[in-house]
Amino acid sequence: MTDRPLTLMAVHAHPDDEATGTGGVLARYAAEGVRTVLVTCTDGSCGDGPGGVKPGDPGHDPAAVALMRRQELEASCDVLKISHLELLGYADSGMDGWPTNDAPGSFWQSPVQEGATRLAALMEHYLPDVVVTYDEYGFYGHPDHIQAHRITMAALELTGLNPKVYWTTAPRSQMRRFGELMREADPNMPEPDPAEAEVLARIGLPDDEITTWVDTTAFSDQKYDALAAHASQGENIFFLRMGKERFAELMGVETFLRVRDTTGAAVPEDDLFAGLR
C-alpha cells in the first residue's frame, strides 16, 4: 500500500464527451476521494459556433469556437469536481466524411504513435489505476473517438502499466428506449436511412455482454449540469431536453466493457475499482 490516491483517467475526444458517457462516474469517484484525470484530445473546433452556426457556414470561426469550448470544458470540470484536466490540443476532425477529416493537424491525421507517446507521458505521471476510453468503433464511429481509442491502447503498451481498462458502452435495450424517446419528442422525425441504421445497430452491446454497471443516480444532477455547461452545443445534446427528473431515470447507470484486469474481480461488477479497494 502507498499514500498515492486511487486514480481514474478518462480519455475523451472532445469537450462535452466527458459529461455524456462518464459524467456520472467522474462525479461519483471524485466524491469518494478518487483522483480524477480527464484527458481531452481535441479542441472541439468543429462544433457549433455562437447562435448555432455550423462548421463551414459563414461566420463559423474555428479558433473562436475552440476558445469557447475550452471555457465550457473547464466549467464542466468544475461541476464534476475533476482533479486534473489535460489537453492534447489536436484540431477537431469533424464527423465521419467531413473535409476536416483530411486537414493537416487534425487528430484523425495525426500519427497514432505521436499521440500515444504524449498520452503515455501523462499515464506515467498520474499512474492511473483505472483507464476509461472508447471501443475500437469509437462508440459511434466518430473519427476522433476511434483515434482516442487507438492512442489510449497504444499508450498502455508503451508504458507497461497495468491499470484496469474499460471501454464505454450502452445496453442495446437502452438504445432502443432512446430511439423511442426521440420519436416521442419529434413525431415527424424520419426513419434513419440504411447507412444511419447500420451505424445505430453497431452502438452498444447486448445487455448480457456488459461487464460493468455503475450506479451514478445520486450524481445525475451533476452530470446534467456538466452537459448544460456545454451550452454552445445544446442543439446537439438530446439529453438536455429530458429535464433533470427524466434524465436521472434514464441516465442513472453508466455501463462499460472491462477489457483489461489484473484483480480477478468477478463480473458483472458495479464498481470500476472493484478489486482495488
Side-chain angles (χ1 to χ4, degrees):
M1 299 294 291
T2 70
D3 293 331
R4 182 177 63 82
L6 286 172
T7 299
L8 166 64
M9 175 178 282
V11 183
H12 281 292
H14 311 98
D16 76 25
D17 291 332
E18 79 290 339
T20 305
T22 57
V25 292
L26 287 166
R28 170 180 162 167
Y29 290 120
E32 293 178 5
V34 171
R35 180 173 60 169
T36 52
V37 180
L38 170 63
V39 180
T40 301
C41 297
T42 81
D43 60 8
S45 56
C46 286
D48 289 357
V53 62
K54 302 298 182 184
D57 288 350
H60 187 277
D61 180 347
V65 171
L67 176 60
M68 175 177 62
R69 298 197 71 187
R70 164 72 180 270
Q71 294 166 344
E72 292 175 340
L73 176 60
E74 291 172 350
S76 173
C77 289
D78 287 343
V79 170
L80 297 174
K81 309 301 182 188
I82 290 170
S83 309
H84 300 277
L85 171 62
E86 298 284 354
L87 304 172
L88 295 190
Y90 288 102
D92 189 342
S93 309
M95 299 293 286
D96 185 30
W98 287 14
T100 43
N101 293 174
D102 301 319
S106 71
F107 191 35
W108 184 239
Q109 290 298 315
S110 66
V112 169
Q113 283 304 113
E114 175 194 287
T117 299
R118 295 172 62 188
L119 182 57
L122 294 174
M123 289 180 174
E124 289 169 344
H125 175 72
Y126 288 109
L127 299 176
D129 301 281
V130 172
V131 172
V132 175
T133 192
Y134 315 102
D135 61 20
E136 64 268 31
Y137 184 55
F139 187 69
Y140 70 101
H142 193 298
D144 288 332
H145 289 230
I146 294 170
Q147 191 76 332
H149 162 85
R150 290 174 176 172
I151 73 163
T152 302
M153 303 312 291
L156 288 163
E157 295 302 319
L158 288 174
T159 64
L161 298 173
N162 286 303
K164 296 180 79 176
V165 180
Y166 293 89
W167 297 341
T168 58
T169 192
R172 291 268 168 81
S173 60
Q174 185 184 51
M175 295 305 300
R176 287 192 293 272
R177 180 60 181 144
F178 284 154
E180 293 167 3
L181 285 170
M182 293 178 75
R183 283 188 289 275
E184 288 173 14
D186 182 5
N188 297 317
M189 184 177 68
E191 290 294 322
D193 63 32
E196 291 175 324
E198 183 179 353
V199 169
L200 292 170
R202 294 182 63 182
I203 295 176
L205 291 170
D207 293 29
D208 60 359
E209 293 182 18
I210 293 173
T211 62
T212 310
W213 305 68
V214 183
D215 184 354
T216 61
T217 306
F219 303 92
S220 293
D221 282 0
Q222 271 179 269
K223 179 172 178 172
Y224 185 96
D225 290 342
L227 278 169
H230 297 280
S232 68
Q233 309 306 304
E235 182 181 328
N236 305 316
I237 304 176
F238 168 76
F239 307 112
L240 293 176
R241 303 176 208 168
M242 298 178 181
K244 285 190 173 180
E245 184 175 348
R246 174 61 68 87
F247 182 85
E249 292 173 7
L250 293 174
M251 303 291 286
V253 175
E254 291 181 349
T255 52
F256 304 87
L257 179 67
R258 191 176 82 187
V259 294
R260 291 195 183 184
D261 173 62
T262 58
T263 69
V267 293
E269 59 187 0
D270 60 5
D271 180 7
L272 297 179
F273 290 88
L276 294 170
R277 56 181 178 176

